[in-house]
Amino acid sequence: MEINSTDTAIVFIDPQNDVLSEGGAAWDAVGASVTENRTVENMERIFEAAKAGGYEVFISPHYFYPTDSGWRMNGPLETSELENHTFARAGQLDLTGFRDSGADWLDRFKPYIEDGRTVVVSPHKVFGPETNDLVLQLRKRGMQRIILGGMLANMCVESHMRHLVEQGFEVAVVRDATAGPRHPVWGDGYQAAIINYGFFAHALLSTDEVLDGMR
């Protein structure tokens, strides 16, 4: 897969405290995978290279508002997220308590995300980008290729990958710029995702390989 700043976008899913910080609501499930993959460090390396190289960067965040507690049917992970108040915000138009909360960006990512150039799209409400404007924002900027990373590997990242492929984008997933949960019954989400990336993504790359391609 050719990588260039003209039509290749960096897309990170959920670069937020609840899934990437030791104090986050999901850390017990994802912490081992995040640590082993050096997910945070590798995401930051890609952020830095993207900004230095003039690449477009897009963030697809996950937020839950109080009214979402009225949902009457949820899958296992949705149920857990709502019970644990993962990605919780006071309201769609209300930033009360947002700063440094579980829904906020990891501190080390803020200089890259809050630089006035990064495109933060509307939130995806379950796992994929069907409920937000990511595809529109990518199309409006002439993006054709995607470098994809973030959280969680087998949930939001995989759902984004599948939808973007269906929308005609060429997608490379960065294997060590993501991580997944481990569950005693459901299994290892990261390993499940890596298998599926191999079947669906146009490329499955390491951070080093991505950085080489961006130069």
Side-chain angles (χ1 to χ4, degrees), residues 62-85:
H62 207 150
Y63 299 133
F64 287 116
Y65 308 125
T67 50
D68 294 329
S69 64
W71 292 357
R72 295 188 178 183
M73 55 179 181
N74 298 302
L77 185 61
E78 293 168 274
T79 299
S80 176
E81 287 174 330
L82 289 166
E83 288 176 349
N84 295 332
H85 303 289

Side-chain angles (χ1 to χ4, degrees), residues 13-160:
I13 316 303
D14 302 346
Q16 296 163 265
N17 286 321
D18 270 340
V19 289
L20 287 171
S21 167
E22 292 184 8
W27 187 255
D28 285 348
V30 303
S33 184
V34 170
T35 302
E36 290 168 10
N37 289 340
R38 297 181 57 83
T39 305
V40 172
E41 293 84 349
N42 287 325
M43 288 176 67
E44 185 169 26
R45 292 170 67 201
I46 295 171
F47 267 129
E48 185 176 15
K51 295 301 180 178
Y55 285 80
E56 296 265 19
V57 179
F58 298 77
I59 306 297
S60 179
H62 207 150
Y63 299 133
F64 287 116
Y65 308 125
T67 50
D68 294 329
S69 64
W71 292 357
R72 295 188 178 183
M73 55 179 181
N74 298 302
L77 185 61
E78 293 168 274
T79 299
S80 176
E81 287 174 330
L82 289 166
E83 288 176 349
N84 295 332
H85 303 289
T86 307
F87 305 129
R89 279 182 48 182
Q92 188 167 0
L93 303 177
D94 188 348
L95 290 175
T96 302
F98 174 74
R99 199 70 175 172
D100 299 323
S101 72
D104 197 6
W105 321 125
L106 211 64
D107 275 342
R108 63 197 293 173
F109 294 163
K110 288 180 180 179
Y112 308 107
I113 298 175
E114 298 177 354
D115 66 351
R117 293 185 291 141
T118 294
V119 180
V120 179
V121 307
S122 56
H124 55 275
K125 294 308 296 181
V126 185
F127 305 120
E130 295 89 341
T131 53
N132 72 9
D133 63 334
L134 175 62
V135 171
L136 172 68
Q137 296 291 351
L138 290 165
R139 296 287 191 209
K140 285 287 192 178
R141 288 166 175 78
M143 298 294 105
Q144 299 293 327
R145 300 177 176 91
I146 310 293
I147 304 297
L148 183 65
M151 297 292 281
L152 299 173
N154 61 319
M155 298 291 184
C156 297
V157 176
E158 182 171 333
S159 294
H160 278 69

